[in-house]
């Protein structure tokens, strides 16, 4: 709940988003499952922002099917050797540390033989290759791990229990992915821009009846989401960990995020399809965000998968 | 619909096949941007293939092909996301030259040979529109896809009132524009006039308004053909990918959620195709129906077209978010098309005006 208020204020002030991986994913995993030594070593850096993290879960052949991870960790004297390829690693090129999902046991069925490690991105054998995304920007990378050594203390929790921890982490990611405050702020900014931006008929975009109605509908959806997120948070403050119900805020929140930038494209019209170096001004950032925004229904568990979870776990459909 | 003879259908098929063979051999899509020299080569080769001559009437040295054939060339170019703008030279100018032979006949041979290239410049109402007085133009033009590479501009000025309306032809060499890079990597132009350009008046008043409306509808028909081609190729590519990519031990294509998204994308695509066909047919018909068809088609581009492209991204997953994968480029191309020649919202207004009674009435 405190985090909800903190994030609302940060978004309202247009503060840059805190790096998600440390604060929202790794922090909770380490304070829930890590050793005392790991808590001492990593939590302060996450809190102060001194250390950046990245999430090394996905692989070329393990996207939606995360349990298909093939990167292996092999026991050696004093630690482990990690070998394989991670895909889509956001901010790997800035990160100091990776939380890395690996296979430690090939004899058992997929979910059972996985373990989580902390991996130093400066260690020998780590190679980072940029992947340019649809918006022309570089935020994701392929990370090649060539027998990277990690010490025994780098293992989080127990060997072969990584899947349980990873799932815990993914649930955290889902609540965060509602992005309700950022959406509210973005929507308010769009309203302000639309009041100034002259539409094709020669009057402000916000005076166009068709656009006005679409603004009203986004307003309604956003209001609904704000309350839904609060309901999930109240559940949490009463001691329940986010479960399948967190899936619905991710589904609704991601669709809403896309609806807002889609509306922006119609508000700005032709100005929005001119690349920023020339267009600049009012449309700056909107177009790129709009393109990148397609990802929110794909990552952190594609919406199709979230819907299956809702249908099965929440509704009990079989 | 227009009935086509067996002979015409044979012609259509041959034209399409030869276009596809050429485009796939010479202009196959790749993620890396191509050089200006490459664009010039392509343009020359396309002129040699006779694409610009095709739609010209025989008396102007052309082959007298109809708009269906022109649109199928544009659709084929859309399949490979060809970065060259062809619509004006293939679909608009041959028709306009037929309509205004006195003023434009001398440009027919240069067009056919690829030496003259045309760009459409519409006025930008947002920045005050285009004014015309005694052969002099002032004001700003709307974002144009083809003005940057053109030798001649066809300018639609003052179209909001009969008194001001003028259709003009301007030599691009003397006119200014701000070159811009578009979202999908193509280049565009923001034309501006200072009053010093030599403009030939092609038509004024009602005639100019009528011609401008048809130019707009033709431009929309071309955007639709291009979008349909791009999406149809993207859909086929995605079907192959989904049948080959495995997660959870099965192909992505075997998941019902994925199948339904693809079926939705197919519904979107076929809607686009139907409206593109209607527009193509209506180009030779009565103006109100023609504009109603074009407005419907343009709305479909912005709604169904973009929805289909989004769905293709969704089912492909992360790979479609990368610059190296074709599907994202299709999405961006449609995004650009949706913003050209009137946005989706303004075409919705237009269609409402054309298909509803002027105002609701209280029967007393
Ligand atoms: C920009 C970006 C940033 C990312 N950042 C990170 C990161 O920092 N760390 C990290 O570990 N990962 C990251 N990811 C990876 C992300 O989590 C995966 O892309 C996601 O899990 C989907 O996997 P995939 O791309 O392989 O798609 P696939 O698994 O191939 O799935 C493609 C599509 O198929 C459908 N589908 C798949 N399975 C099912 C099913 N069972 N039922 C119904 N439909 C299904 C869905 O529509 C899905 O979108 C990032 C991805 C992107 C694009």
């Amino acid at each position: 709940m405190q985090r909800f208020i903190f994030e609302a204020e940060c978004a309202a002030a247009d503060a840059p988003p805190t790096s998600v991986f440390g604060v929202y994913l790794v922090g909770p995993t380490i304070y829930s499952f890590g050793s005392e030594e790991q808590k001492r070593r990593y939590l302060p850096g996450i809190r102060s922002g001194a250390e950046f993290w990245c999430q090394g879960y996905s692989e070329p052949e393990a996207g939606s099917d995360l349990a298909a991870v093939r990167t292996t960790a092999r026991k050696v004297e004093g630690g482990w050797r990690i070998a394989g390829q991670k895909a889509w690693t956001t901010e790997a090129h800035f990160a100091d540390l990776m939380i890395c999902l690996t296979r430690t046991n090939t004899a058992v069925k997929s979910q059972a033989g996985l373990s989580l490690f902390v991996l130093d991105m400066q260690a020998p054998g780590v190679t980072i290759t940029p992947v340019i995304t649809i918006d022309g920007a570089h935020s994701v990378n392929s990370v090649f791990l060539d027998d990277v050594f990690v010490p025994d203390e780098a293992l989080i929790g127990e060997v072969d229990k990584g899947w349980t921890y990873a799932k815990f982490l993914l649930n955290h990611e889902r609540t965060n992915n509602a992005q309700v405050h950022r959406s509210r702020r973005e929507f308010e900014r769009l309203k302000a821009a639309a009041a100034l931006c002259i539409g094709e008929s020669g009057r402000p975009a916000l005076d166009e009846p068709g656009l006005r109605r679409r603004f009203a509908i986004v307003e309604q959806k956003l209001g609904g989401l704000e309350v839904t997120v609060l309901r999930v948070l109240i559940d949490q403050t009463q001691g329940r960990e986010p479960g399948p119900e967190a899936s619905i805020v991710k589904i609704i929140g991601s669709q809403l995020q896309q609806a807002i930038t889609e509306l922006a494209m119609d508000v700005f019209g032709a100005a929005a399809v001119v690349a920023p170096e020339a267009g600049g001004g009012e449309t700056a950032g909107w177009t790129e965000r709009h393109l990148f925004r397609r990802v929110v229904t794909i990552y952190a568990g594609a919406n199709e998968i979230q819907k299956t979870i809702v249908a099965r776990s929440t509704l009990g459909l079989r | 619909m227009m009935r086509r003879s067996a002979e015409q259908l044979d012609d259509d098929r041959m034209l399409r096949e030869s276009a596809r063979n050429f485009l796939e051999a010479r202009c196959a899509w790749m993620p890396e941007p191509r050089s200006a020299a490459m664009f010039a080569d392509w343009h020359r080769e396309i002129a040699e293939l006779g694409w610009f001559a095709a739609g010209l009437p025989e008396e102007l040295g052309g082959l007298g092909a109809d708009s269906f054939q022109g649109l199928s060339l544009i659709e084929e170019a859309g399949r490979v996301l060809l970065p060259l703008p062809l619509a004006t030279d293939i679909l608009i100018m041959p028709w306009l030259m037929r309509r205004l032979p006195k003023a434009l006949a001398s440009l027919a041979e240069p067009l056919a040979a690829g030496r003259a290239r045309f760009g459409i410049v519409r006025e930008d109402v947002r920045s005050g529109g285009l004014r015309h007085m005694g052969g002099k133009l002032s004001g700003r033009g709307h974002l144009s896809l083809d003005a940057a590479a053109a030798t001649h501009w066809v300018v639609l000025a003052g179209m909001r009132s009969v008194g001001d309306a003028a259709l003009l032809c301007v030599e691009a060499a003397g006119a200014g524009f701000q070159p811009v890079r578009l979202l999908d990597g193509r280049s565009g132009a923001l034309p501006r006039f200072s009053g010093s350009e030599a403009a030939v008046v092609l038509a004024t008043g009602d005639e100019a308004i009528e011609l401008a409306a048809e130019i707009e509808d033709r431009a929309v028909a071309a955007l639709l053909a291009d979008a349909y081609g791009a999406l149809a190729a993207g859909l086929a590519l995605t079907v192959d990918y989904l049948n080959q990519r495995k997660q959870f031990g099965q192909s992505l294509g075997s998941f019902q959620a994925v199948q339904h998204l693809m079926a939705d994308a197919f519904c979107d695509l076929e809607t686009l195709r139907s409206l593109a066909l209607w527009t193509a047919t209506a180009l030779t018909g009565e103006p109100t129906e023609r504009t109603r068809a074009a407005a419907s088609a343009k709305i479909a581009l912005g709604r169904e077209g973009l929805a289909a492209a989004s769905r293709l991204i969704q089912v492909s997953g992360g790979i479609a978010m990368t610059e190296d994968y074709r599907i994202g480029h299709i999405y961006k191309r449609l995004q650009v098309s949706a913003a050209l020649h009137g946005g989706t919202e303004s075409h919705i207004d237009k269609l409402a005006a054309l298909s509803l009674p002027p105002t609701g009435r209280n029967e007393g």
Side-chain angles (χ1 to χ4, degrees), chain B residues 121-135:
Chain B
V121 176
R122 313 160 65 231
E123 56 191 334
D124 187 359
V125 175
R126 295 170 45 136
S127 54
L130 284 176
R131 283 163 306 281
H132 159 249
M133 242 201 285

Side-chain angles (χ1 to χ4, degrees), chain A residues 55 57-58 63-64 88 90 140 295 304, chain B residues 245 247 255 314-315 318:
Chain A
Q55 178 192 17
Y57 281 22
S58 305
S64 300
W88 311 114
T90 302
V140 296
V295 80
E304 289 67 42
Chain B
R245 164 103 174 146
Q247 289 285 277
F255 291 113
Q314 181 66 25
V315 293

